[in-house]
Amino acid sequence: MDLFQLFNPEPMQNGEAMSPDAQDSRGPPGDEENQGAVPSEPPLPQEPPPCPRPKLVFHAQLAHGSPTGRIHGFTNVRELYAKIAEVFDVSASEILFCTLNSHKVDMQKLLGGQIGLEDFIFAHVRGETKEVEVIKTEDALGLTITDNGAGYAFIKRIKEGSTIDRIKTVCVGDHIEAINDQSIVGCRHYEVAKMLKEQPRGTPFTLRLVEPKKAFDMIGQRTRAPKSSEGKMVSGKETLRLRSKGSATLEEIPSEFEDKAIKKVDDLLESYMGIRDLELATTIVEAGRNKKNPDDFAEALDSVLGDFGFPDVFLFDVWGAMGDVKNGRI
């Protein structure tokens, strides 16, 4: 073998050197006419693995006083209450409701459908039970009802000068446990409001109420969460959206239009149904997105909230209110 062959070996076929003509006769790769076997398709590029989501960690205390606990790993309101109960060694059934960034019974701070990523959670647990006798002297008792999303309805607002306002032992934040000894635990707010509305005028009935546990000491321990970036995903422009059905999702903070529309719909819920529910109001506003007319809106709303059976006049008022907000009239 000369030096040319040593450094420029020809391709081999069956142990023999292939001539350039024989090599060319195989045709280019992938040429099905000149090549007996059909080449396999190249493998599809693999998708990159999803980026792991940082764990969301929220700080919480019992509203009447406790050390600070760390809450994580929940996807809805019931699971949130279960996690709080686990951290503070109480029963989940003891938790009446939660407020955000305030240990007081402040309905403006009530945990509804959203938690900001920097929010501090205060859990209000069962305190004393009391029974009151009510005589309905007018059609409306003057109560606004909401619920905690986990089976407890409670009083969110008392109208000044109303029948309930004259009973001084009834307070905002009281959980309505029973009407005439009939337990209403597990009922939604609109069901409780309907029961109260149906009580006959002039006939006494009893309410069994449970007030939130009051604080006597440990005031100094009610502090905001320590400064920490652990578990925080963004700069606070997202919230954790909690739903009564389905899992929690991270969403952008509602726009100015959506925020105004949600508040207006919440007002209409109180006016028509005697309830307050920001999660419900948010769902109603979402159903109205990109709808061209009230019929499309009513159909969309019925598909997600058909159980409520909203009257037509309510739907038209909601549609009008959202239009007023959108056009800057509110």
Side-chain angles (χ1 to χ4, degrees):
M1 181 180 294
D2 59 23
L3 290 175
F4 177 83
Q5 289 176 317
L6 180 63
F7 290 101
N8 296 276
E10 291 182 340
M12 302 293 289
Q13 188 176 29
N14 297 327
E16 298 179 358
M18 289 177 62
S19 68
D21 291 338
Q23 186 177 7
D24 292 342
S25 68
R26 297 176 61 188
D31 188 342
E32 296 183 8
E33 293 182 359
N34 297 327
Q35 197 168 336
V38 178
S40 60
E41 295 183 1
L44 294 174
Q46 294 184 352
E47 295 184 2
C51 181
R53 298 171 71 89
K55 181 173 66 175
L56 291 175
V57 178
F58 295 89
H59 294 83
Q61 291 179 359
L62 299 180
H64 64 277
S66 76
T68 298
R70 296 150 60 86
I71 311 297
H72 59 85
F74 58 91
T75 61
N76 55 49
V77 173
R78 289 183 184 272
E79 290 183 7
L80 168 62
Y81 285 11
K83 291 293 183 181
I84 293 173
E86 180 182 332
V87 167
F88 293 105
D89 195 24
V90 299
S91 169
S93 62
E94 293 289 304
I95 301 173
L96 298 181
F97 55 86
C98 294
T99 50
L100 299 177
N101 307 316
S102 173
H103 68 277
K104 298 179 181 178
V105 180
D106 183 349
M107 294 296 105
Q108 300 302 314
K109 304 289 187 179
L110 190 67
L111 187 154
Q114 295 180 334
I115 306 177
L117 299 187
E118 299 290 337
D119 283 341
F120 195 111
I121 302 170
F122 290 91
H124 298 255
V125 300
R126 293 173 65 98
E128 295 184 5
T129 300
K130 53 194 176 184
E131 281 201 1
V132 297
E133 184 178 87
V134 183
I135 300 178
K136 199 173 183 181
T137 57
E138 49 193 340
D139 290 337
L141 289 170
L143 283 178
T144 298
I145 309 296
T146 192
D147 64 42
N148 67 355
Y152 286 174
F154 57 94
I155 299 170
K156 187 170 185 181
R157 182 179 296 178
I158 298 175
K159 184 179 179 181
E160 186 176 355
S162 64
T163 298
I164 293 296
D165 187 44
R166 291 190 288 271
I167 306 174
K168 298 306 179 184
T169 54
V170 180
C171 302
V172 168
D174 286 351
H175 159 48
I176 304 175
E177 189 173 56
I179 301 174
N180 285 333
D181 291 327
Q182 177 186 348
S183 173
I184 59 169
V185 174
C187 295
R188 291 300 313 272
H189 44 32
Y190 64 92
E191 296 172 313
V192 177
K194 185 172 182 290
M195 293 177 199
L196 293 172
K197 189 175 182 179
E198 291 173 348
Q199 295 299 316
R201 293 178 64 171
T203 303
F205 66 94
T206 60
L207 291 176
R208 185 162 74 241
L209 306 171
V210 181
E211 63 183 35
K213 190 171 183 178
K214 292 181 171 62
F216 294 99
D217 50 18
M218 303 178 71
I219 302 296
Q221 292 193 28
R222 295 196 193 94
T223 56
R224 293 187 60 83
K227 297 292 183 180
S228 169
S229 60
E230 180 180 359
K232 307 305 178 186
M233 296 181 63
V234 292
S235 59
K237 294 185 178 180
E238 288 182 308
T239 63
L240 187 66
R241 172 82 183 277
L242 300 174
R243 293 175 170 81
S244 56
K245 296 180 180 179
S247 297
T249 54
L250 272 174
E251 297 182 359
E252 293 290 326
I253 291 175
S255 65
E256 183 179 357
F257 155 70
E258 289 176 325
D259 189 53
K260 287 183 178 180
I262 289 166
K263 290 177 180 176
K264 183 60 180 175
V265 171
D266 198 34
D267 290 341
L268 289 171
L269 284 170
E270 180 178 29
S271 176
Y272 277 91
M273 303 178 68
I275 63 175
R276 284 266 176 184
D277 189 332
L278 286 175
E279 180 199 348
L280 178 60
T282 301
T283 303
I284 291 172
V285 171
E286 288 176 345
R289 280 181 187 162
N290 305 318
K291 299 300 181 290
K292 303 298 183 184
N293 55 63
D295 289 337
D296 289 347
F297 169 58
E299 184 177 343
L301 196 60
D302 189 59
S303 68
V304 292
L305 295 171
D307 293 345
F308 281 83
F310 295 117
D312 289 343
V313 64
F314 171 78
L315 297 180
F316 278 108
D317 278 358
V318 168
W319 177 258
M322 292 193 297
D324 288 343
V325 172
K326 187 174 182 180
N327 294 319
R329 292 191 290 268
I330 294 181

